[in-house]
Amino acid sequence: MEKIIEAVNVSYIYQTKYQKTQALSEVNCSFERGRVYAITGKSGSGKSTFLSLLAGLDVPTEGTLYIDGQDMKKLDRDAYRRKRASVIYQAFHLFPLLTVKENVMFPMQLQHISGKAAETRAEEYLAKVGLSDTLSGKRPGMISGGEQQRVAIARAMASGGEILLADEPTGNLDSQNEQVVIELLCKLAHEENYAVIIVTHNEAVAAAADVVYGMSDGVLTVVRGEIQA
Ligand SMILES: Nc1ncnc2c1ncn2[C@@H]1O[C@H](COP(=O)(O)OP(=O)(O)O)[C@@H](O)[C@H]1O
Ligand SMILES: [Mg+2]
């Protein structure tokens, strides 16, 4: 299988006026499409920092992050974020004043897909995440947390990307909704060929992942799985 992302000796340092924090130290790993990855580790170990590099929000201080073999520093990172990599969060981050369907249409509108086509595709994505038509006209505040996270996943799919990044996606969900979201993320990887990368404390999420990485003081190790770049 193709490596879609490869980290080679990736380090990241937060430099403020008075202090330097080494958040990542020479991280080496790779990610393939069709697989679910969990990144576990204590609070402050560097997980979110790594996820933000994978999301193209910043670039490594040292080392190289390759996307399809291309150095992230040389990529158009705005286009990467718009079209290839989407992030979902613990707190869902849906647009509160847009309806469910409008939330899912939003990334397509950024890509100038016409209203009608975007609407049809939004309906397809909502069906894929198991949400019924009756929800599509509601605002996020009127639906449950589990449903909101499924809308966020549908919106991520609508960006057309093949990389789905998630920061504690089940952190706000009860165990039943947690299971639905886990199954959906696995389906995205195994049936739709996404690379799904999940930062999590949740044992059930880690158990469902194909590969588990552990982060400790900015150092990444393989906890379970065969891949190490
Ligand atoms: N914006 C920032 N400025 C300075 N230091 C930061 C910033 N964000 C995170 N850090 C530090 O970097 C380290 C890793 O943080 P983070 O990636 O958020 O860890 P995790 O997501 O595993 O909790 C921690 O020591 C944290 O205090
Ligand atoms: Mg974090």
Side-chain angles (χ1 to χ4, degrees):
M1 265 195 271
E2 19 153 12
K3 283 180 194 171
I4 190 161
I5 304 178
E6 188 171 14
V8 179
N9 295 326
V10 166
S11 295
Y12 190 86
I13 295 167
Y14 290 100
Q15 173 90 64
T16 61
K17 208 166 172 188
Y18 302 105
Q19 77 177 14
K20 246 176 150 179
T21 305
Q22 175 120 23
L24 297 173
S25 297
E26 306 208 349
V27 169
N28 289 287
C29 66
S30 58
F31 301 95
E32 295 179 359
R33 295 180 71 162
R35 281 202 164 99
V36 178
Y37 297 82
I39 302 174
T40 60
K42 284 190 201 148
S43 179
S45 60
K47 304 182 300 297
S48 294
T49 300
F50 191 42
L51 208 69
S52 64
L53 298 186
L54 297 176
L57 294 167
D58 205 345
V59 293
T61 313
E62 281 177 79
T64 312
L65 207 52
Y66 294 98
I67 308 297
D68 280 331
Q70 256 201 309
D71 187 341
M72 175 86 97
K73 287 192 180 101
K74 295 178 189 145
L75 277 186
D76 176 346
R77 283 193 290 130
D78 286 334
Y80 172 75
R81 288 206 307 275
R82 217 166 39 241
K83 296 185 183 154
R84 301 199 62 191
S86 300
V87 191
I88 63 170
Y89 300 93
Q90 178 166 359
F92 321 127
H93 293 199
L94 297 172
F95 302 111
L97 298 179
L98 298 183
T99 65
V100 161
K101 196 195 281 182
E102 286 164 351
N103 265 276
V104 180
M105 288 169 68
F106 189 81
M108 295 186 273
Q109 282 160 348
L110 290 184
Q111 293 176 36
H112 309 294
I113 294 169
S114 84
K116 192 74 203 134
E119 190 171 349
T120 307
R121 271 165 60 180
E123 286 161 4
E124 287 167 15
Y125 293 126
L126 286 166
K128 276 196 181 177
V129 299
L131 292 175
S132 70
D133 274 355
T134 54
L135 276 178
S136 66
K138 292 187 177 170
R139 290 193 178 161
M142 295 169 66
I143 64 177
S144 75
E147 288 163 345
Q148 287 184 60
Q149 195 60 297
R150 285 193 270 166
V151 175
I153 293 170
R155 185 178 62 181
M157 295 175 80
S159 72
E162 64 271 77
I163 301 167
L164 186 84
L165 306 165
D167 202 341
E168 294 286 1
T170 61
N172 272 329
L173 303 180
D174 59 48
S175 59
Q176 198 183 340
N177 278 305
E178 174 189 298
Q179 202 50 45
V180 171
V181 166
I182 292 171
E183 279 167 22
L184 209 48
L185 293 174
C186 289
K187 194 172 111 181
L188 275 187
H190 300 150
E191 291 174 22
E192 311 266 342
N193 208 30
Y194 278 68
V196 174
I197 304 169
I198 311 169
V199 163
T200 187
H201 280 98
N202 185 302
E203 297 284 336
V205 175
D210 302 302
V211 177
V212 181
Y213 292 133
M215 188 76 85
S216 175
D217 284 333
V219 176
L220 188 110
T221 54
V222 181
V223 176
R224 179 166 61 73
E226 74 281 27
I227 307 160
Q228 177 77 340

